[in-house]
Amino acid sequence: MQYIAASIAAGLAALAASYGNGHVISKTLEGMARQPELSGQLRSTMFIGVGLIEAVPILSIVVAFILMNR
């Protein structure tokens, strides 16, 4: 049962992160299209946001490994 819980946790975290990354990137591209002069600032902010979003599935994998070793 713990393997199922670990796989569900990791899968849902990966799904949510992919949705979040797509949303952040699409809004950044929309902002770049509207104001090209801010593209450098928007790009750097986007990379920070994507990095923070990617931390969630990494933590989920850690929790999944902990659940599997119990």
Side-chain angles (χ1 to χ4, degrees):
M1 191 68 172
Q2 64 193 11
Y3 298 116
I4 294 172
S7 63
I8 289 173
L12 288 177
L15 183 67
S18 64
Y19 175 77
N21 281 337
H23 194 68
V24 166
I25 292 170
S26 72
K27 291 298 181 178
T28 302
L29 289 175
E30 183 180 321
M32 286 179 183
R34 290 176 186 236
Q35 294 181 335
E37 66 274 3
L38 292 177
S39 65
Q41 185 178 2
L42 289 172
R43 188 178 304 116
S44 62
T45 304
M46 179 195 70
F47 285 135
I48 292 170
V50 167
L52 291 173
I53 291 170
E54 285 298 321
V56 173
I58 292 169
L59 290 175
S60 173
I61 294 295
V62 170
V63 169
F65 284 148
I66 290 171
L67 286 175
M68 288 175 48
N69 289 328
R70 287 183 124 197

